[in-house]
Amino acid sequence: MDSKDQPPLDDRRKERQNLCMPHTYLRTISTYPEVPLYVPVRKRVRSCNHPLTPTPPPSMDVLLLRSPTLDVPDKYEAVFRTHGYSPISVPVLETTLVHLEQLADRIAEGPSVHRFTGVIVTSKRSIEAWGQAVEGVVAWSGENVVVREVRCGDEGKTSWASIPFYVVGEVTAEAARELGKRFPPGLGPTDIRGGSEAGSAEQLARIILEDVSESKKMLYLTGDKNRDTISRILTQGGVGLEKLQVYETHGSSTFVHDLENALGRAGFVGCDGDDANEAWGWIVFFAPSAARHVYPALCDHFFFRRLADTGGVDEHGHGRKEIAKVAAIGPTTASCLRDELGLRVDVVAPKPTPAELASAIVAFDSASHSV
């Protein structure tokens, strides 16, 4: 192009200033061959193989199938943001606490009546149930022995202060520690074991067997969908259990609506058939019951690699590229995804903590990008 055909200098400067705009990435179109015009492309909007659309950078989205904490910064979302990911949390399950009166009776009677030498907790929900039961005990405790002893500083036979609480995972352990701060030592957990060292029910059961001798008895707080791992291992080891179900879960009735809203806010636009995108990001599953509930709805938006890889062809014979990488919070959830849903699980967190989960995903992505 001759110099006389060049656009005015001021126009060229303005066009070049677009380079400084804070967009994720840019595409180039040629208005003037020697003066590129940079047009911002909105992050995460999925374009269906348009000839002018460049290949987007690897997606950093992470869909967390769990309820975020509302009163404090959510630890899972926070740790993923520190690694440069964009976390999206969508509640999956609704939980109802049950049998609180029976639990309150056990707490009020104290551990010695039933010869409990420990309490087993595998979920944060069980800690919540204990807290509500204690509140009930305190509310009608005018003549209650354990409350009188606690108020007098007496750690007698009705006090729970010396009873260890065996918990799965650091999240549950942290909830137990916070609960212990709310109540006097005789009513809440003070001796908390397992936690980050017990990332699964099996690991917790082994810790318990190392701690106690045979002929001991423990109070085991369960949900409605607990597996028999702890019961089987401890029974074989000679440890007695009294099970008490304190919560039940069912799928969220608003999950489909919540998922669509969350994806919309994240700028997700899916494509069907041969135009499906190759990589959306990560979907993290936190419980087998949650996985069973949400999987059909997720399939309306995402495509998953399966153990029996069909080469990107779905059950209807339509060509589709798999776009979702799958992570599980632990081995129990991973087994459900593989054995029941037939999914390929890319990452299993070594321990059920935000840091371990994020580190495993970062390591997987780093290894994939280096290939």
Side-chain angles (χ1 to χ4, degrees):
M1 169 184 303
D2 296 334
S3 59
K4 65 180 180 180
D5 295 325
Q6 292 275 11
L9 180 60
D10 288 345
D11 290 346
R12 282 182 283 166
R13 286 174 177 168
K14 290 179 182 179
E15 291 165 349
R16 286 193 174 98
Q17 286 173 356
N18 285 321
L19 285 171
C20 299
M21 297 176 64
H23 297 285
T24 302
Y25 57 93
L26 307 168
R27 73 167 181 243
T28 304
I29 59 176
S30 296
T31 303
Y32 307 106
E34 298 178 15
V35 185
L37 175 62
Y38 292 88
V39 181
V41 178
R42 184 185 176 189
K43 181 184 179 183
R44 293 193 298 272
V45 173
R46 309 309 186 201
S47 179
C48 301
N49 293 337
H50 190 282
L52 289 179
T53 304
T55 301
S59 178
M60 301 292 274
D61 297 289
V62 180
L63 176 60
L64 302 167
L65 298 173
R66 56 181 290 279
S67 299
T69 54
L70 301 178
D71 52 341
V72 295
D74 186 82
K75 293 183 178 180
Y76 282 93
E77 293 185 356
V79 73
F80 275 106
R81 288 193 181 99
T82 62
H83 289 290
Y85 289 82
S86 300
I88 309 166
S89 294
V90 180
V92 172
L93 298 175
E94 297 171 354
T95 304
T96 304
L97 302 182
V98 298
H99 305 145
L100 294 183
E101 290 186 6
Q102 291 93 317
L103 178 57
D105 288 341
R106 292 291 184 271
I107 295 172
E109 293 165 349
S112 62
V113 172
H114 300 278
R115 298 183 179 179
F116 293 135
T117 58
V119 179
I120 301 174
V121 179
T122 60
S123 169
K124 182 180 177 181
R125 303 306 181 193
S126 294
I127 295 295
E128 294 173 2
W130 185 280
Q132 288 201 20
V134 168
E135 290 174 353
V137 169
V138 173
W140 48 262
S141 63
E143 300 300 323
N144 186 263
V145 177
V146 65
V147 175
R148 287 203 306 270
E149 287 184 346
V150 168
R151 286 174 177 169
C152 295
D154 180 12
E155 295 187 5
K157 294 182 179 180
T158 58
S159 172
W160 293 86
S162 62
I163 301 299
F165 279 63
Y166 294 92
V167 304
V168 172
E170 184 57 29
V171 173
T172 308
E174 180 61 26
R177 285 190 286 269
E178 291 299 318
L179 183 66
K181 297 176 183 177
R182 286 174 49 196
F183 301 110
L187 294 173
T190 55
D191 182 1
I192 301 166
R193 307 181 187 183
S196 60
E197 301 302 318
S200 67
E202 181 176 356
Q203 290 174 343
L204 182 65
R206 303 300 179 192
I207 290 174
I208 294 173
L209 289 179
E210 292 175 359
D211 259 12
V212 305
S213 58
E214 294 183 6
S215 302
K216 298 296 184 180
K217 183 180 179 181
M218 298 200 172
L219 176 61
Y220 181 18
L221 305 182
T222 74
D224 58 327
K225 297 177 175 63
N226 282 60
R227 302 179 72 177
D228 66 347
T229 304
I230 286 182
S231 300
R232 175 174 45 81
I233 295 175
L234 294 185
T235 300
Q236 292 174 352
V239 177
L241 296 174
E242 179 179 316
K243 295 182 182 179
L244 179 59
Q245 181 188 333
V246 294
Y247 69 93
E248 60 186 17
T249 59
H250 53 275
S252 170
S253 58
T254 62
F255 175 75
V256 173
H257 178 264
D258 295 340
L259 176 65
E260 291 177 351
N261 283 346
L263 293 178
R265 290 193 300 270
F268 174 84
V269 178
C271 298
D272 295 327
D274 293 329
D275 289 328
N277 296 277
E278 292 188 3
W280 177 80
W282 287 90
I283 299 180
V284 184
F285 294 86
F286 288 83
S289 57
R292 299 184 193 101
H293 173 62
V294 303
Y295 179 63
L298 291 173
C299 287
D300 291 337
H301 300 277
F302 305 103
F303 306 108
F304 296 87
R305 291 182 175 88
R306 304 186 63 82
L307 292 176
D309 196 343
T310 58
V313 178
D314 69 6
E315 61 271 24
H316 303 295
H318 301 144
R320 289 176 172 176
K321 297 177 181 178
E322 303 89 348
I323 63 172
K325 290 175 284 188
V326 172
I329 193 60
T332 301
T333 302
S335 295
C336 172
L337 296 173
R338 296 187 187 105
D339 300 340
E340 297 186 33
L341 302 181
L343 299 184
R344 184 183 303 174
V345 180
D346 300 294
V347 162
V348 180
K351 294 181 180 178
T353 67
E356 293 282 352
L357 173 65
S359 295
I361 286 178
V362 169
F364 182 95
D365 282 343
S366 298
S368 299
H369 297 160
S370 64
V371 174

